[in-house]
Amino acid sequence: MPRAVRERQMLDAAVRTFGQRGYRAASMDEIAELAGVSKPLVYLYLNSKEELFSACIRREAAALVAAVREGASGASGERGASGGVGASVPAADRQLWDGLRAFFTHTAERPDGWAVLHSQARTQGEPFAAEVAAMREEIVSFVTSLIAEAARSAHGDPSLPDREVAGLAQALVGAAESLAGWANVEGTVSAKEAAATLMNFAWAGLGGLMEGRRWVPSSPL
Amino acid sequence: MPRAVRERQMLDAAVRTFGQRGYRAASMDEIAELAGVSKPLVYLYLNSKEELFSACIRREAAALVAAVREGASGASGERGASGGVGASVPAADRQLWDGLRAFFTHTAERPDGWAVLHSQARTQGEPFAAEVAAMREEIVSFVTSLIAEAARSAHGDPSLPDREVAGLAQALVGAAESLAGWANVEGTVSAKEAAATLMNFAWAGLGGLMEGRRWVPSSPL
């Protein structure tokens, strides 16, 4: 069996074990058994529990970022793969919807991978926290650019301050993280439902901002 | 010095140390030194590092929940303390705004307490994770009731399904958690700014839902 295939089996087993039992509680014995290989082979390929965990984080983070980017670019949807200059770019709300649906579909299909990234990696100290923070940063800056783009096309000039756009992106990413965890625990909420709930929450709100409609309190702040 | 005062000093020192250095890296020596007491006295009062950490979680969770409830009830604001039947209840958007401002003010004033709850406690296994999950559950159900209330008063009858209301509450709480972490790291975002960003994000969106305005895609889903 080629090394790449064996390594993928080990990573699959490791993601499942780390995601379900937690980083500390997971044992290399259990991972080797689930992968159907000997423990020495796991060490030979992945070196240590720490490096195995890092490899899981990197793989799951790359897969999640790729799924969201691909979803938001419309690459998996109705648009062709032309992509060059002059290719039609979907409207910002459509990109956001496609990206959200891709995010919730991915985290529902890979709940253990999501648990590794969201619950385990962030809090096992370094270098794990930094790896997952880098992935989150990448998603936040992608969302930031989507929102800034939407603001530009709505206003002609960017009348939402950069700092507010950054805050909105943080809010949206946090909302998505929270809903993904909830949907995975709840078990009866489909990816499409979760995406629709967040889209209504976010877009009617973001959409209002784009049209210059801010929330106005009935009495002074 | 009364026991209660000493205990508060120990908890203050422990929250600061756990919040800044993490649960595992924090040492009882360091906590005792920061509290200005001997290590045996910390053990005498709080028993073990685990129990000290639990006491920190309980104190910080109770303080955060109380701050949000008090904020949202208008108790700290312009309303009197009458509160009985017939007392004016602020509109749902006002309650949400007051609650959000209280949340961001509290987490900005107690960044170490927030780090204990949000980053440390959730992922150090049981019984810590369960304690902080219970607090989060309490906040989510409070927000759920605010949203359901707003939907009822907007519609007469609740036309937002319970499940969607639950999802919206999860989204809002996740957005607030994310923004609080960001504002604390950023350091230049005031509590009021963070609250205003989220209020605009959430309310213009929630407000749209209340008025039956859903996001509508330009092409079929």
Side-chain angles (χ1 to χ4, degrees), chain B residues 86-123:
Chain B
S88 74
V89 174
D93 63 336
R94 181 78 208 193
Q95 281 189 63
L96 185 61
W97 165 250
D98 289 338
L100 287 177
R101 214 169 25 161
F103 172 79
F104 287 109
T105 301
H106 187 86
T107 53
E109 280 169 358
R110 296 168 85 131
D112 298 327
W114 176 244
V116 163
L117 294 175
H118 185 60
S119 310
Q120 295 299 320
R122 291 201 300 173
T123 50

XYZ file of all heavy atoms in Angstrom, chain B residues 86-123:
297
model
N -46.803 45.898 35.540
C -47.158 47.201 35.011
C -45.956 48.114 34.813
O -46.076 49.155 34.204
N -44.808 47.702 35.343
C -43.618 48.517 35.102
C -43.306 48.468 33.609
O -43.536 47.464 32.952
C -42.429 47.964 35.889
N -42.788 49.565 33.071
C -42.537 49.572 31.638
C -41.352 48.678 31.318
O -40.304 48.757 31.950
C -42.256 50.993 31.170
O -40.969 51.378 31.579
N -41.567 47.801 30.357
C -40.471 46.958 29.892
C -39.908 47.608 28.641
O -40.678 47.960 27.730
C -40.983 45.539 29.575
C -39.884 44.703 28.949
C -41.513 44.892 30.836
N -38.586 47.808 28.561
C -38.042 48.453 27.372
C -38.314 47.591 26.132
O -38.478 46.379 26.243
C -36.537 48.512 27.648
C -36.343 48.135 29.064
C -37.554 47.416 29.521
N -38.358 48.234 24.984
C -38.531 47.497 23.732
C -37.389 46.497 23.568
O -36.310 46.669 24.137
C -38.550 48.479 22.561
N -37.658 45.451 22.770
C -36.677 44.370 22.638
C -35.338 44.879 22.103
O -34.278 44.427 22.548
C -37.228 43.269 21.737
N -35.363 45.806 21.147
C -34.082 46.283 20.615
C -33.302 47.044 21.676
O -32.086 46.913 21.799
C -34.251 47.119 19.333
C -35.041 48.388 19.556
O -35.827 48.441 20.520
O -34.880 49.330 18.752
N -34.039 47.794 22.491
C -33.373 48.522 23.574
C -32.768 47.544 24.601
O -31.653 47.741 25.081
C -34.398 49.431 24.254
C -33.857 50.274 25.375
C -33.096 51.456 24.824
N -32.062 51.888 25.727
C -31.407 53.040 25.606
N -31.668 53.856 24.603
N -30.467 53.364 26.453
N -33.514 46.503 24.929
C -32.999 45.500 25.865
C -31.743 44.836 25.307
O -30.773 44.598 26.030
C -34.049 44.410 26.118
C -35.129 44.812 27.087
C -35.994 43.610 27.457
O -35.523 42.642 28.046
N -37.251 43.662 27.088
N -31.798 44.533 24.017
C -30.646 43.883 23.402
C -29.443 44.821 23.415
O -28.333 44.419 23.767
C -30.993 43.476 21.967
C -29.918 42.674 21.233
C -29.629 41.360 21.947
C -30.350 42.390 19.788
N -29.682 46.064 23.065
C -28.600 47.047 23.059
C -27.995 47.191 24.459
O -26.775 47.167 24.640
C -29.120 48.393 22.544
C -28.219 49.555 22.828
C -28.456 50.568 23.699
C -26.927 49.809 22.250
N -27.400 51.454 23.701
C -26.436 51.008 22.830
C -26.133 49.141 21.314
C -25.194 51.554 22.498
C -24.890 49.684 20.982
C -24.439 50.872 21.558
N -28.863 47.315 25.462
C -28.361 47.461 26.828
C -27.603 46.207 27.264
O -26.572 46.295 27.939
C -29.527 47.736 27.790
C -30.108 49.136 27.593
O -29.397 50.011 27.056
O -31.271 49.353 27.973
N -28.115 45.043 26.892
C -27.454 43.792 27.245
C -26.096 43.661 26.567
O -25.109 43.256 27.182
N -26.043 44.031 25.292
C -24.774 43.947 24.563
C -23.748 44.907 25.140
O -22.578 44.570 25.308
C -24.975 44.267 23.077
C -25.672 43.207 22.233
C -25.862 43.707 20.807
C -24.871 41.906 22.229
N -24.211 46.114 25.448
C -23.267 47.090 26.002
C -22.735 46.598 27.338
O -21.551 46.711 27.640
C -23.939 48.444 26.140
C -22.963 49.571 25.886
C -23.677 50.892 25.760
N -24.949 50.855 26.472
C -25.615 51.938 26.851
N -25.111 53.124 26.593
N -26.766 51.849 27.472
N -23.626 46.016 28.143
C -23.195 45.473 29.435
C -22.197 44.336 29.234
O -21.185 44.233 29.941
C -24.403 44.976 30.226
N -22.464 43.477 28.242
C -21.568 42.353 27.963
C -20.173 42.838 27.558
O -19.158 42.413 28.113
C -22.172 41.476 26.853
C -21.246 40.405 26.357
C -21.060 39.233 27.081
C -20.539 40.560 25.167
C -20.194 38.237 26.631
C -19.672 39.573 24.701
C -19.500 38.414 25.445
N -20.113 43.781 26.608
C -18.807 44.232 26.134
C -18.085 45.071 27.183
O -16.861 45.039 27.264
C -18.940 44.991 24.804
C -19.234 44.078 23.637
C -20.472 44.077 23.031
C -18.266 43.207 23.176
C -20.751 43.230 21.969
C -18.527 42.353 22.104
C -19.780 42.361 21.504
N -18.830 45.816 27.962
C -18.196 46.584 29.042
C -17.579 45.631 30.061
O -16.430 45.789 30.484
C -19.235 47.487 29.743
O -19.800 48.368 28.769
C -18.589 48.301 30.855
N -18.341 44.609 30.422
C -17.871 43.649 31.419
C -16.638 42.883 30.925
O -15.648 42.753 31.648
C -18.999 42.672 31.758
C -18.675 41.746 32.880
N -18.879 42.072 34.200
C -18.128 40.512 32.898
C -18.476 41.082 34.968
N -18.022 40.110 34.208
N -16.690 42.379 29.691
C -15.556 41.591 29.189
C -14.325 42.478 28.965
O -13.198 41.999 29.065
C -15.909 40.835 27.889
O -16.440 41.758 26.934
C -16.931 39.744 28.158
N -14.532 43.762 28.661
C -13.385 44.663 28.503
C -12.769 44.993 29.854
O -11.548 45.129 29.984
C -13.820 45.954 27.800
N -13.625 45.111 30.870
C -13.110 45.440 32.201
C -12.447 44.228 32.857
O -11.606 44.373 33.734
C -14.255 45.936 33.095
C -14.617 47.385 32.833
C -15.908 47.792 33.528
O -16.541 46.925 34.188
O -16.284 48.973 33.410
N -12.876 43.042 32.494
C -12.340 41.824 33.094
C -11.813 40.887 32.024
O -12.313 39.762 31.866
C -13.441 41.134 33.906
C -13.911 41.985 35.091
C -15.177 41.440 35.707
N -14.940 40.407 36.688
C -15.493 40.396 37.898
N -16.302 41.366 38.273
N -15.238 39.420 38.724
N -10.772 41.328 31.298
C -10.278 40.488 30.202
C -9.768 39.122 30.683
O -9.906 38.130 29.980
C -9.148 41.323 29.581
C -8.770 42.312 30.629
C -10.012 42.579 31.414
N -9.200 39.077 31.889
C -8.697 37.799 32.382
C -9.846 36.857 32.733
O -9.773 35.648 32.472
C -7.796 37.999 33.609
C -6.573 38.831 33.266
O -6.085 38.734 32.117
O -6.113 39.600 34.128
N -10.897 37.412 33.294
C -12.081 36.604 33.582
C -12.681 36.052 32.298
O -13.082 34.890 32.228
N -12.709 36.899 31.267
C -13.240 36.456 29.983
C -12.365 35.360 29.385
O -12.860 34.372 28.827
C -13.382 37.641 29.037
C -13.830 37.238 27.662
C -13.130 37.363 26.504
C -15.073 36.606 27.314
N -13.855 36.857 25.455
C -15.045 36.382 25.924
C -16.195 36.199 28.047
C -16.101 35.768 25.245
C -17.238 35.588 27.374
C -17.186 35.378 25.987
N -11.039 35.512 29.515
C -10.132 34.475 29.002
C -10.342 33.156 29.745
O -10.322 32.082 29.143
C -8.676 34.935 29.117
N -10.553 33.233 31.056
C -10.812 32.007 31.831
C -12.057 31.307 31.288
O -12.049 30.109 31.029
C -10.983 32.331 33.337
C -11.647 31.169 34.076
C -9.629 32.637 33.964
N -13.133 32.069 31.086
C -14.387 31.459 30.647
C -14.329 31.006 29.195
O -14.726 29.893 28.864
C -15.548 32.459 30.798
C -15.904 32.872 32.221
C -16.981 33.938 32.209
C -16.357 31.656 33.027
N -13.832 31.884 28.344
C -13.969 31.636 26.910
C -12.864 30.726 26.372
O -13.109 29.892 25.510
C -13.970 32.972 26.162
C -14.233 32.815 24.700
N -15.397 32.245 24.216
C -13.487 33.124 23.606
C -15.347 32.231 22.894
N -14.211 32.747 22.509
N -11.647 30.901 26.872
C -10.538 30.143 26.285
C -10.099 28.976 27.157
O -9.782 27.910 26.654
C -9.325 31.056 26.065
O -9.704 32.222 25.394
N -10.036 29.208 28.466
C -9.457 28.187 29.334
C -10.458 27.107 29.720
O -10.226 25.919 29.530
C -8.881 28.836 30.594
C -7.710 29.759 30.301
C -6.566 29.012 29.654
O -6.275 27.891 30.027
N -5.931 29.616 28.673
N -11.569 27.537 30.307
C -12.464 26.575 30.956
C -13.092 25.600 29.973
O -13.281 24.430 30.279
C -13.552 27.320 31.723
N -13.397 26.091 28.768
C -14.144 25.263 27.832
C -13.406 24.012 27.417
O -14.007 23.069 26.916
C -14.456 26.068 26.567
C -15.459 27.161 26.842
C -16.124 27.601 25.585
N -15.177 28.120 24.613
C -15.524 28.452 23.379
N -16.765 28.286 22.981
N -14.632 28.934 22.555
N -12.096 24.017 27.589
C -11.323 22.956 26.951
C -10.364 22.257 27.889
O -9.443 21.590 27.450
C -10.515 23.562 25.805
O -9.848 24.696 26.331
C -11.418 23.969 24.672
